[in-house]
Amino acid sequence: MYHYKRAMMISVLVCAGIFLLSLVMGRFFIPVHEVWNILLSKFLVLPITWDASMYNVVMEIRLPRVLGAILVGVALAVSGTAYQGVFRNDLVSPDLLGVSHGASVGACLGILLHLSLYGVALCAFIGGIVAVCLTLLLPRLIQNQSRIVLVLCGIIVSGFMAAIIGLLKYIADPDTELQDIVYWQLGSLAKVTWDNLLYVLPIIVIGTIAIIALRWRLNILSLSDQEAQSLGVNVQRERIVIIGISTLLTSAAVCLSGTIGWVGLVIPHLSRMLVGHDHKKLIPATIVVSASFLMVADLFARALTTAEIPLGILCGFIGTPFFAWVLYKQRRYF
């Protein structure tokens, strides 16, 4: 318990430092004390020592973007942790189950239909649900529900959803709709504003709170079905509830940032290294680590080069070697 409290305290302090650094750093450098004063000016009456450009950069550009990074990171990582617990498979993530690609298909359809952000979010959720249902159905059809078959079925569904996205790109208007679809695929926080942030904020906050409330049930669902049922748990019902919440979280993240891969796979493993496998400790640790990770990734994305690097590409360079390492560590279970 002492190790857990110390690890969480250090993680929270690091996360707070990264949050402040993300508001300071960028093409337009703003001193730390000015950023701090601008933030406090919303709650306290302070003498104005900053100019209008500093205020606009912090409050209208960087703050919603950093908060978006936190929300997207938390949504993807928490859903990934929940999927891994429900399916008892450390290699499962929203990407490998096809949820991210399915949500992207729904979002692309919403874009082609010129729906509002709420309409796009609903389409993304439906697309994610369809994808995860297909991924769960295929192992039953071939009567093999091992972890490697589940991953392979997720790859199949992801490939099918990617083909649908390709078709939608082909029929999209190249001057307007195609640009938005490409934006979803690459993944970026460049277009995050207070308006679209507030659309998905309730979904991600409520979904995350629900997973936190159910985190001790994830420990039970991580057991075999027979053991969970002997403890009085309705395995099918609770599994469906957690899958639904996790899919909703993933879809909300896709609506805000587009497809950002590997976060739902990498962060749960990093968090387990920090606090262990107990979901009562793992879920809170995942929230803090994921927020820090995506803030750092977004900071690099907008600061490494003059042209911003899409987050999906940057996270791919980080996640691919990590996934190879996970496969190596898990090789004895295949």
Side-chain angles (χ1 to χ4, degrees):
M1 179 60 71
Y2 173 74
H3 170 74
Y4 170 69
K5 289 182 178 179
R6 184 178 64 178
M8 285 299 296
M9 186 178 300
I10 294 173
S11 299
V12 170
L13 291 175
V14 170
C15 185
I18 295 171
F19 175 80
L20 191 59
L21 183 65
S22 297
L23 297 177
V24 170
M25 299 298 293
R27 294 186 182 91
F28 181 45
F29 176 80
I30 301 175
V32 176
H33 67 276
E34 295 291 7
V35 170
W36 188 247
N37 288 336
I38 290 171
L39 294 177
L40 289 180
S41 67
K42 287 294 182 179
F43 308 99
L44 302 173
V45 178
L46 298 174
I48 298 178
T49 59
W50 57 86
D51 56 37
S53 60
M54 289 183 180
Y55 183 88
N56 289 331
V57 167
V58 172
M59 297 303 298
E60 300 300 328
I61 299 176
R62 290 184 186 169
L63 185 57
R65 179 167 181 154
V66 172
L67 293 176
I70 293 172
L71 290 176
V72 170
V74 169
L76 293 175
V78 168
S79 61
T81 305
Y83 282 133
Q84 290 172 11
V86 165
F87 296 120
R88 300 188 294 272
N89 190 336
D90 291 345
L91 299 180
V92 164
S93 72
D95 314 313
L96 294 181
L97 287 178
V99 180
S100 295
H101 283 87
S104 294
V105 169
C108 292
L109 283 172
I111 291 170
L112 291 179
L113 294 173
H114 303 285
L115 300 179
S116 66
L117 190 60
Y118 271 126
V120 173
L122 179 61
C123 289
F125 175 67
I126 294 172
I129 288 290
V130 170
V132 77
C133 288
L134 288 174
T135 301
L136 296 178
L137 179 63
L138 286 176
R140 293 179 180 271
L141 292 177
I142 63 177
Q143 299 180 348
N144 186 337
Q145 300 189 46
S146 66
R147 62 169 61 189
I148 189 64
V149 169
L150 180 63
V151 171
L152 290 174
C153 290
I155 293 172
I156 292 170
V157 172
S158 295
F160 178 68
M161 294 297 172
I164 295 178
I165 293 174
L167 177 62
L168 295 177
K169 289 169 65 177
Y170 179 74
I171 63 176
D173 184 343
D175 295 326
T176 55
E177 299 164 342
L178 183 59
Q179 295 178 5
D180 291 332
I181 292 175
V182 171
Y183 165 76
W184 287 113
Q185 280 193 289
L186 293 178
S188 175
L189 295 168
K191 295 184 179 180
V192 173
T193 64
W194 285 114
D195 289 337
N196 54 31
L197 187 66
L198 293 176
Y199 273 121
V200 300
L201 177 65
I203 299 173
I204 294 178
V205 170
I206 293 172
T208 302
I209 292 173
I211 295 295
I212 292 173
L214 294 169
R215 67 190 188 279
W216 65 279
R217 310 293 281 185
L218 281 167
N219 285 336
I220 300 176
L221 292 175
S222 298
L223 305 172
S224 67
D225 288 355
Q226 293 78 11
E227 290 176 302
Q229 288 171 353
S230 68
L231 294 172
V233 173
N234 188 326
V235 176
Q236 289 299 113
R237 183 184 64 193
E238 298 203 7
R239 182 174 288 155
I240 290 173
V241 168
I242 293 176
I243 289 173
I245 295 171
S246 301
T247 304
L248 183 60
L249 283 172
T250 302
S251 302
V254 169
C255 287
L256 190 62
S257 66
T259 305
I260 299 177
W262 301 104
V263 176
L265 176 65
V266 171
I267 301 304
H269 283 279
L270 291 177
S271 302
R272 286 190 189 93
M273 295 176 187
L274 191 66
V275 299
H277 292 266
D278 185 355
H279 286 87
K280 290 186 288 185
K281 300 176 181 178
L282 180 60
I283 297 295
T286 299
I287 292 172
V288 179
V289 174
S290 62
S292 301
F293 175 84
L294 211 60
M295 281 193 293
V296 170
D298 183 58
L299 184 58
F300 278 121
R302 56 190 169 91
L304 279 178
T305 62
T306 54
E308 182 172 320
I309 302 173
L311 267 180
I313 296 174
L314 193 61
C315 290
F317 280 118
I318 298 172
T320 303
F322 187 87
F323 183 53
W325 178 79
V326 170
L327 285 176
Y328 175 77
K329 297 290 287 187
Q330 298 279 340
R331 66 191 185 281
R332 61 183 178 277
Y333 298 115
F334 295 145

